[in-house]
Protein backbone atom coordinates (compact mmCIF):
# COMPACT_ATOMS: atom_id res chain seq x y z
CA UNK A 1 0.00 0.00 0.00
CA UNK A 2 1.12 3.56 -0.66
CA UNK A 3 1.83 5.91 2.19
CA UNK A 4 0.22 9.32 2.48
CA UNK A 5 3.28 11.05 1.05
CA UNK A 6 3.48 8.62 -1.87
CA UNK A 7 -0.22 9.13 -2.60
CA UNK A 8 0.27 12.91 -2.62
CA UNK A 9 3.21 12.59 -5.02
CA UNK A 10 1.19 10.25 -7.22
CA UNK A 11 -1.75 12.66 -7.36
CA UNK A 12 0.60 15.58 -8.08
CA UNK A 13 2.23 13.65 -10.92
CA UNK A 14 -1.16 12.83 -12.45
CA UNK A 15 -2.24 16.44 -12.11
CA UNK A 16 0.93 17.67 -13.81
CA UNK A 17 0.48 15.16 -16.60
CA UNK A 18 -3.15 16.10 -17.17
CA UNK A 19 -2.66 19.88 -17.14
CA UNK A 20 0.66 20.42 -18.89
CA UNK A 21 0.51 17.55 -21.39
CA UNK A 22 -3.06 18.17 -22.51
CA UNK A 23 -2.21 21.44 -24.30
CA UNK A 24 0.55 20.13 -26.62
CA UNK A 25 -1.28 16.83 -27.18
CA UNK A 26 -4.38 18.70 -28.33
CA UNK A 27 -2.88 19.41 -31.74
CA UNK A 28 -1.89 15.76 -32.29
CA UNK A 29 -5.16 14.19 -31.16
CA UNK A 30 -7.66 16.76 -32.44
CA UNK A 31 -6.01 18.68 -35.29
CA UNK A 32 -3.84 15.92 -36.81
CA UNK A 33 -5.52 12.61 -35.96
CA UNK A 34 -8.99 14.19 -35.73
CA UNK A 35 -10.14 11.81 -32.99
CA UNK A 36 -13.78 12.49 -32.07
CA UNK A 37 -14.68 12.57 -28.38
CA UNK A 38 -18.18 11.11 -27.80
CA UNK A 39 -19.39 13.48 -25.09
CA UNK A 40 -18.17 16.66 -26.79
CA UNK A 41 -19.37 15.57 -30.23
CA UNK A 42 -22.81 14.64 -28.91
CA UNK A 43 -23.14 17.93 -27.03
CA UNK A 44 -22.12 19.95 -30.08
CA UNK A 45 -24.62 18.20 -32.33
CA UNK A 46 -27.45 18.63 -29.83
CA UNK A 47 -26.70 22.36 -29.64
CA UNK A 48 -26.68 22.48 -33.43
CA UNK A 49 -30.07 20.76 -33.58
CA UNK A 50 -31.53 23.17 -31.04
CA UNK A 51 -30.22 26.38 -32.59
CA UNK A 52 -29.83 25.81 -36.33
CA UNK A 53 -32.14 25.01 -39.22
CA UNK A 54 -30.18 23.50 -42.07
CA UNK A 55 -31.90 23.23 -45.42
CA UNK A 56 -32.26 19.88 -47.11
CA UNK A 57 -32.22 19.25 -50.85
CA UNK A 58 -35.75 20.68 -51.23
CA UNK A 59 -34.83 23.77 -49.27
CA UNK A 60 -37.19 23.07 -46.37
CA UNK A 61 -35.31 23.70 -43.13
CA UNK A 62 -38.25 22.72 -40.95
CA UNK A 63 -38.36 19.20 -42.42
CA UNK A 64 -34.66 18.73 -41.74
CA UNK A 65 -35.08 19.93 -38.17
CA UNK A 66 -38.03 17.60 -37.57
CA UNK A 67 -36.10 14.68 -39.03
CA UNK A 68 -33.24 15.28 -36.60
CA UNK A 69 -35.60 15.53 -33.68
CA UNK A 70 -37.27 12.26 -34.66
CA UNK A 71 -33.91 10.51 -34.79
CA UNK A 72 -32.85 11.97 -31.45
CA UNK A 73 -36.09 11.12 -29.66
CA UNK A 74 -36.29 7.64 -31.20
CA UNK A 75 -32.76 6.77 -30.08
CA UNK A 76 -33.47 8.28 -26.65
CA UNK A 77 -36.60 6.15 -26.25
CA UNK A 78 -34.78 2.95 -27.30
CA UNK A 79 -31.93 3.54 -24.87
CA UNK A 80 -34.34 4.47 -22.08
CA UNK A 81 -36.38 1.30 -22.58
CA UNK A 82 -33.23 -0.86 -22.64
CA UNK A 83 -31.99 0.71 -19.39
CA UNK A 84 -35.42 0.33 -17.79
CA UNK A 85 -35.60 -3.35 -18.80
CA UNK A 86 -32.19 -3.87 -17.20
CA UNK A 87 -33.45 -2.40 -13.94
CA UNK A 88 -36.62 -4.48 -13.93
CA UNK A 89 -34.83 -7.67 -15.02
CA UNK A 90 -31.28 -7.56 -13.56
CA UNK A 91 -30.18 -10.61 -15.57
CA UNK A 92 -30.45 -8.52 -18.74
CA UNK A 93 -27.73 -6.15 -17.52
CA UNK A 94 -25.04 -8.81 -17.98
CA UNK A 95 -25.71 -11.57 -20.48
CA UNK A 96 -23.50 -14.57 -19.68
CA UNK A 97 -23.37 -16.01 -23.17
CA UNK A 98 -20.39 -18.25 -22.34
CA UNK A 99 -22.32 -20.09 -19.65
CA UNK A 100 -25.23 -20.60 -22.03
CA UNK A 101 -23.04 -22.46 -24.53
CA UNK A 102 -21.16 -24.48 -21.92
CA UNK A 103 -18.01 -22.32 -21.74
CA UNK A 104 -18.18 -21.11 -18.16
CA UNK A 105 -14.56 -19.94 -18.21
CA UNK A 106 -15.64 -17.12 -20.51
CA UNK A 107 -17.99 -15.88 -17.79
CA UNK A 108 -15.23 -16.26 -15.21
CA UNK A 109 -13.03 -13.94 -17.24
CA UNK A 110 -15.91 -11.48 -17.78
CA UNK A 111 -16.51 -12.30 -21.43
CA UNK A 112 -20.15 -11.29 -21.20
CA UNK A 113 -22.46 -8.97 -23.09
CA UNK A 114 -23.96 -5.84 -21.58
CA UNK A 115 -26.81 -4.55 -23.77
CA UNK A 116 -26.25 -0.87 -22.97
CA UNK A 117 -27.08 1.31 -25.94
CA UNK A 118 -25.02 4.18 -24.53
CA UNK A 119 -21.87 2.21 -25.33
CA UNK A 120 -23.23 1.56 -28.81
CA UNK A 121 -23.70 5.31 -29.29
CA UNK A 122 -20.15 6.04 -28.13
CA UNK A 123 -18.79 3.51 -30.61
CA UNK A 124 -20.83 5.08 -33.41
CA UNK A 125 -19.38 8.50 -32.64
CA UNK A 126 -15.76 7.39 -32.16
CA UNK A 127 -15.63 5.52 -35.44
CA UNK A 128 -13.98 2.28 -36.52
CA UNK A 129 -10.32 3.01 -35.75
CA UNK A 130 -10.61 3.78 -32.01
CA UNK A 131 -13.25 1.08 -31.54
CA UNK A 132 -11.01 -1.57 -33.11
CA UNK A 133 -8.11 -0.42 -30.93
CA UNK A 134 -10.24 -0.79 -27.80
CA UNK A 135 -11.45 -4.21 -28.93
CA UNK A 136 -7.87 -5.30 -29.55
CA UNK A 137 -6.89 -4.13 -26.07
CA UNK A 138 -9.74 -6.09 -24.50
CA UNK A 139 -8.77 -9.25 -26.40
CA UNK A 140 -5.12 -8.98 -25.41
CA UNK A 141 -5.86 -8.07 -21.76
CA UNK A 142 -8.59 -10.59 -20.97
CA UNK A 143 -7.72 -13.26 -23.50
CA UNK A 144 -3.93 -13.39 -23.11
CA UNK A 145 -2.36 -11.28 -20.36
CA UNK A 146 -4.94 -11.91 -17.63
CA UNK A 147 -4.96 -15.71 -17.93
CA UNK A 148 -1.17 -15.71 -18.31
CA UNK A 149 -0.72 -13.69 -15.11
CA UNK A 150 -3.13 -15.97 -13.26
CA UNK A 151 -1.46 -19.17 -14.48
CA UNK A 152 2.06 -17.89 -13.80
CA UNK A 153 1.23 -16.82 -10.25
CA UNK A 154 1.80 -13.11 -10.90
CA UNK A 155 -1.82 -12.36 -9.92
CA UNK A 156 -2.82 -15.10 -7.45
CA UNK A 157 -5.85 -13.30 -6.03
CA UNK A 158 -9.39 -13.14 -7.35
CA UNK A 159 -9.69 -11.94 -10.93
CA UNK A 160 -11.54 -8.73 -10.04
CA UNK A 161 -9.19 -7.80 -7.18
CA UNK A 162 -7.35 -4.53 -7.87
CA UNK A 163 -4.34 -5.42 -5.71
CA UNK A 164 -3.62 -9.14 -6.21
CA UNK A 165 -5.94 -10.07 -9.06
CA UNK A 166 -5.58 -10.09 -12.83
CA UNK A 167 -7.64 -6.91 -13.16
CA UNK A 168 -5.15 -4.92 -11.10
CA UNK A 169 -2.20 -6.51 -12.89
CA UNK A 170 -3.59 -5.68 -16.33
CA UNK A 171 -4.31 -2.14 -15.15
CA UNK A 172 -0.62 -1.33 -14.71
CA UNK A 173 0.20 -2.72 -18.14
CA UNK A 174 -2.49 -0.50 -19.67
CA UNK A 175 -1.24 2.57 -17.78
CA UNK A 176 2.28 1.92 -19.00
CA UNK A 177 1.10 1.69 -22.61
CA UNK A 178 -0.89 4.92 -22.39
CA UNK A 179 1.88 6.86 -20.62
CA UNK A 180 4.53 5.71 -23.10
CA UNK A 181 2.48 6.76 -26.12
CA UNK A 182 1.51 10.05 -24.50
CA UNK A 183 5.14 10.87 -23.66
CA UNK A 184 6.31 9.95 -27.15
CA UNK A 185 3.59 12.07 -28.76
CA UNK A 186 4.45 14.92 -26.41
CA UNK A 187 8.15 14.66 -27.27
CA UNK A 188 7.55 14.56 -31.01
CA UNK A 189 5.07 17.44 -30.88
CA UNK A 190 7.45 19.53 -28.76
CA UNK A 191 10.39 18.87 -31.10
CA UNK A 192 8.33 19.79 -34.15
CA UNK A 193 7.09 23.00 -32.54
CA UNK A 194 10.61 23.92 -31.40
CA UNK A 195 12.03 23.31 -34.89
CA UNK A 196 9.23 25.34 -36.46
CA UNK A 197 9.78 28.27 -34.12
CA UNK A 198 13.52 28.11 -34.58
CA UNK A 199 13.12 28.16 -38.34
CA UNK A 200 10.79 31.16 -38.18
CA UNK A 201 13.23 33.02 -35.91
CA UNK A 202 16.14 32.31 -38.26
CA UNK A 203 14.12 33.59 -41.22
CA UNK A 204 13.25 36.73 -39.27
CA UNK A 205 16.88 37.44 -38.37
CA UNK A 206 18.06 36.65 -41.90
CA UNK A 207 15.70 39.29 -43.29
CA UNK A 208 16.74 41.93 -40.79
CA UNK A 209 20.26 42.70 -42.18
CA UNK A 210 19.01 42.92 -45.75
CA UNK A 211 16.28 45.35 -44.74
CA UNK A 212 18.69 47.53 -42.81
CA UNK A 213 21.22 47.41 -45.62
CA UNK A 214 18.60 48.53 -48.08
CA UNK A 215 17.77 51.48 -45.87
CA UNK A 216 21.44 52.47 -45.68
CA UNK A 217 21.88 52.27 -49.43
CA UNK A 218 18.84 54.40 -49.95
CA UNK A 219 20.27 56.97 -47.55
Amino acid sequence: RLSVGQQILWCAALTYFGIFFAVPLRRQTISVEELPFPSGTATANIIEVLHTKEKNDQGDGHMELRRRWRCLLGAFAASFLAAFAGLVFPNLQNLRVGSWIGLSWLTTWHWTLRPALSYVGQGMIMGLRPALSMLGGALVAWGVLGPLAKASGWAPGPITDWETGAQGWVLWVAIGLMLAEALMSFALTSCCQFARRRGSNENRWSRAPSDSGAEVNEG
Side-chain angles (χ1 to χ4, degrees):
R1 293 179 179 274
L2 299 178
S3 63
V4 176
Q6 291 174 339
Q7 292 179 10
I8 293 175
L9 290 177
W10 176 253
C11 293
L14 291 179
T15 303
Y16 174 82
F17 178 81
I19 294 176
F20 293 95
F21 283 12
V23 176
L25 288 179
R26 173 188 173 277
R27 179 181 179 275
Q28 180 67 25
T29 57
I30 297 179
S31 302
V32 178
E33 298 183 11
E34 297 181 353
L35 297 178
F37 295 88
S39 58
T41 304
T43 303
N45 281 272
I46 290 177
I47 294 175
E48 182 183 4
V49 169
L50 293 175
H51 296 281
T52 60
K53 295 181 180 180
E54 289 188 359
K55 294 183 179 180
N56 57 11
D57 296 335
Q58 287 76 25
D60 190 358
H62 295 284
M63 291 181 59
E64 177 69 16
L65 188 60
R66 285 197 297 267
R67 185 185 65 83
R68 292 187 177 188
W69 272 109
R70 283 196 299 267
C71 293
L72 177 63
L73 295 178
F76 178 86
S79 182
F80 180 85
L81 291 177
F84 181 77
L87 292 176
V88 177
F89 305 100
N91 292 332
L92 295 178
Q93 295 182 359
N94 194 16
L95 302 180
R96 302 180 179 182
V97 181
S99 300
W100 298 347
I101 61 177
L103 300 176
S104 59
W105 61 271
L106 289 176
T107 304
T108 303
W109 284 98
H110 300 284
W111 287 103
T112 59
L113 293 178
R114 184 178 181 182
L117 296 183
S118 60
Y119 294 133
V120 176
Q122 293 179 15
M124 294 170 65
I125 294 176
M126 288 189 299
L128 186 61
R129 184 177 58 177
L132 287 178
S133 299
M134 297 176 68
L135 177 61
L139 292 174
V140 171
W142 297 104
V144 180
L145 295 182
L148 178 63
K150 184 71 174 179
S152 302
W154 303 335
I159 295 175
T160 57
D161 190 86
W162 289 99
E163 295 183 0
T164 61
Q167 187 167 4
W169 190 87
V170 169
L171 172 67
W172 291 103
V173 177
I175 291 177
L177 293 175
M178 291 187 295
L179 287 178
E181 183 176 357
L183 289 174
M184 179 57 66
S185 300
F186 174 75
L188 291 176
T189 304
S190 300
C191 291
C192 293
Q193 291 180 354
F194 176 77
R196 191 180 299 109
R197 291 181 180 179
R198 183 177 180 181
S200 61
N201 291 334
E202 289 180 355
N203 293 333
R204 188 183 303 116
W205 285 107
S206 62
R207 294 195 206 98
S210 60
D211 295 342
S212 61
E215 293 177 358
V216 172
N217 293 332
E218 290 176 359

